[in-house]
Amino acid sequence: MKKINPLITVYITNYNYGKFVKKAIDSVLNQTFKNFELIIIDDGSKDKSAKIIKQFQNKSKIKVVFQKNKGLIVSNNLALRMSKAKYIMRLDSDDWLDPHALEIMFNILERNKKISLVFPDYYEVDKNGKIIGQVRRHDFKKVKLLDQPAHGACTMIRKENLLDIGGYDEEFNCQDGYYLWLKFIKKYVVRNVNLPLFYYRQHQNSLTNNSKRILLNRSRIIRKLQKKENTKKIVALLPIRGLKLSPDSMVLRKLNKKPLVFYTIDSILSSKLISKLIITSPDSKLLNFIKKKYKEKVLVFKRPENLGFINTELEKTIRHSLKVMKSKKIDFDYIMNISFRT
C-alpha cells in the first residue's frame, strides 16, 4: 500500500529553550488540522532540552534530530530536505500556535493556487506567557506597498516555491523571514491573515531585542540581492514632519553644534547601498535649510500638510513621493523608508 505523505511540515528549531519547548510541541500536536508531520531539531542545546524532546521521539508524526550547534539557517535547510509535505512552516521553540493556525493558513493556500506564502497577525507575550500586545499587519489584498515582511516563523510556504528560490541562504545567521520576503515578493503572490494565530514570546534572549544584529543582517541581505541582480538604484526616503506640525521636534536641536537631522542625513549618504536620498516634509523652511546645506546631494519634496499629521498612514506619504518621483523621471529599483523619530 502506497504511503501518503502529510500535507504540512511543521518544524521546531530549538537551542537552550528547554523551559519553553514542550509548550511549542504541544501547540502543534493540538492543532485542529491533523494531516501534518512535525520535525524537531535540537541545535546542540546545553540545558534540559534533550530530556524533554526525547519524550516525543517515538511518537507518530514526529521526527527528532539532535545535532551539534549549526545555527538557525542550516537547521532550516535540514528541515526543508527532510520535509515530505506540500507546505512547510517553522515554529520557534519559545513560541506557540493557536489551535486553528494550520487549518486556516492551509485553506488559504489550497483555495488560491497563486498564493505561495501566507502569514498571520500574532500576539506578543512576556516571558511568562502573558499577552502584552497584538501585532496587526496590512490587509495585503488591499495594499500594493509590501512594506511589512512576514515573520520568519509561523509563515506557511509552498515547498516547491521555497525550493525554486534555492531554500535558505546559509551566508546569513538570522533574518530568514526578511530574506524570503524579498525573494518571494519579486516572483510570487503573498498573503496575510488578519487574525492572531501565534504567540510570540518577548524575553531577554529574543532576537528582536538585538536590533543591531537584525539591521546588519538586513543590510547584508540587501547588498547580496542587489549585487546578484546587478542593480544599484536604491532610493532612500526620509519623511520628516518638521517644526510646523511638530513644534517639540528635535530635528534641528544641535549636538556638538550640528543639527540632529544632519547626523541622520550624513549616515544615509555614507551608505554604499543608497544611490539617491529624498527628504519629504510639509515644512518648507526645514526643506530649504536642508537644501542649503546639502545642495545636490539630496532631493527635497514638499508634501501636503495633511500627510504629516500624527497617525497618518505612512503608505500615503510613500505614494505621494512615488508620484513626484515619476513626474521627475527618477529611476529606481528599490525604495527604502528611513525614520527620523526625535
Side-chain angles (χ1 to χ4, degrees):
M1 186 174 179
K2 185 178 179 181
K3 185 177 179 180
I4 300 175
N5 288 331
L7 288 170
I8 301 172
T9 296
V10 180
Y11 67 98
I12 295 175
T13 56
N14 178 71
Y15 179 68
N16 288 342
Y17 278 151
K19 60 183 176 181
F20 300 132
V21 68
K22 185 177 185 302
K23 188 174 184 69
I25 295 170
D26 286 341
S27 76
V28 179
L29 299 180
N30 293 330
Q31 289 293 298
T32 56
F33 186 92
K34 299 299 182 182
N35 193 353
F36 65 84
E37 65 175 351
L38 173 60
I39 300 172
I40 306 170
I41 302 174
D42 185 76
D43 195 32
S45 294
K46 298 176 182 178
D47 64 355
K48 61 180 180 179
S49 293
K51 182 178 179 180
I52 294 169
I53 292 171
K54 283 178 181 177
Q55 299 173 20
F56 299 91
Q57 198 163 17
N58 297 317
K59 292 193 175 185
S60 62
K61 296 186 178 183
I62 299 179
K63 301 172 185 175
V64 175
V65 176
F66 293 101
Q67 64 183 19
K68 293 181 179 179
N69 185 258
K70 298 180 180 179
L72 174 63
I73 309 303
V74 173
S75 298
N76 287 347
N77 279 329
L78 173 60
L80 181 57
R81 292 193 298 271
M82 293 177 64
S83 170
K84 303 294 184 183
K86 184 177 182 180
Y87 306 113
I88 188 167
M89 186 185 81
R90 188 181 97 229
L91 172 64
D92 290 336
S93 55
D94 54 340
D95 303 332
W96 73 93
L97 296 172
D98 178 276
H100 303 282
L102 296 187
E103 183 177 7
I104 291 172
M105 288 189 279
F106 170 82
N107 285 333
I108 290 172
L109 290 168
E110 282 290 291
R111 285 197 298 265
N112 192 332
K113 306 301 181 184
K114 293 182 179 180
I115 297 174
S116 293
L117 179 154
V118 63
F119 62 102
D121 295 342
Y122 57 91
Y123 291 115
E124 291 181 325
V125 300
D126 64 19
K127 63 180 181 180
N128 298 315
K130 181 180 178 181
I131 294 175
I132 56 177
Q134 180 179 343
V135 174
R136 293 187 60 83
R137 310 299 188 99
H138 293 323
D139 184 344
F140 281 93
K141 293 179 182 178
K142 299 179 180 179
V143 301
K144 295 181 180 180
L145 181 65
L146 304 181
D147 64 330
Q148 294 181 346
H151 201 280
C154 300
T155 294
M156 192 175 291
I157 305 169
R158 289 188 190 275
K159 190 176 72 177
E160 63 178 333
N161 298 146
L162 182 52
L163 290 169
D164 182 54
I165 66 167
Y168 295 88
D169 193 325
E170 295 180 10
E171 178 181 333
F172 310 110
N173 56 13
C174 70
Q175 288 298 288
D176 55 310
Y178 186 69
Y179 172 80
L180 289 185
W181 184 257
L182 294 181
K183 297 278 283 188
F184 264 78
I185 61 176
K186 290 184 70 67
K187 193 170 184 179
Y188 303 114
V189 176
V190 299
R191 188 72 77 237
N192 70 317
V193 185
N194 282 140
L195 292 170
L197 295 180
F198 74 98
Y199 297 79
Y200 181 61
R201 199 184 300 267
Q202 299 284 304
H203 52 87
Q204 189 175 3
N205 296 327
S206 296
L207 178 60
T208 46
N209 287 332
N210 193 340
S211 57
K212 183 176 180 180
R213 184 183 174 199
I214 290 172
L215 293 174
L216 284 174
N217 271 275
R218 287 193 173 195
S219 177
R220 290 174 58 222
I221 288 169
I222 291 171
R223 277 200 300 270
K224 180 165 184 176
L225 294 178
Q226 179 190 43
K227 184 176 180 181
K228 190 172 183 179
E229 296 172 12
N230 194 29
T231 175
K232 296 183 178 179
K233 296 175 183 176
I234 298 180
V235 170
L237 181 66
L238 178 61
I240 305 175
R241 296 178 64 223
L243 294 170
K244 185 177 180 180
L245 294 179
S246 184
D248 296 328
S249 172
M250 298 177 67
V251 63
L252 295 181
R253 187 76 58 85
K254 292 185 178 180
L255 177 66
N256 296 326
K257 299 182 179 181
K258 178 177 176 179
L260 290 176
V261 69
F262 287 1
Y263 286 95
T264 301
I265 294 172
D266 290 343
S267 177
I268 297 169
L269 292 176
S270 69
S271 172
K272 295 179 180 178
L273 286 174
I274 306 301
S275 59
K276 210 175 290 290
L277 170 59
I278 295 172
I279 299 172
T280 175
S281 177
D283 190 333
S284 297
K285 289 184 178 180
L286 174 65
L287 292 178
N288 290 334
F289 181 76
I290 292 172
K291 190 66 177 177
K292 184 177 179 181
K293 163 69 176 176
Y294 289 95
K295 298 182 172 58
E296 304 306 318
K297 292 182 179 179
V298 302
L299 296 176
V300 297
F301 293 171
K302 189 174 189 301
R303 71 181 192 265
E305 195 169 283
N306 66 298
L307 296 185
F309 294 153
I310 293 176
N311 293 330
T312 301
E313 294 176 3
L314 176 63
E315 182 178 353
K316 293 180 179 179
T317 289
I318 296 177
R319 283 183 177 276
H320 175 265
S321 299
L322 289 173
K323 287 181 181 178
V324 177
M325 290 166 65
K326 184 176 180 180
S327 69
K328 294 181 177 295
K329 298 182 179 180
I330 297 172
D331 190 24
F332 67 97
D333 295 290
Y334 297 96
I335 186 166
M336 177 187 296
N337 180 69
I338 299 173
S339 298
F340 182 87
R341 296 186 180 276
T342 57

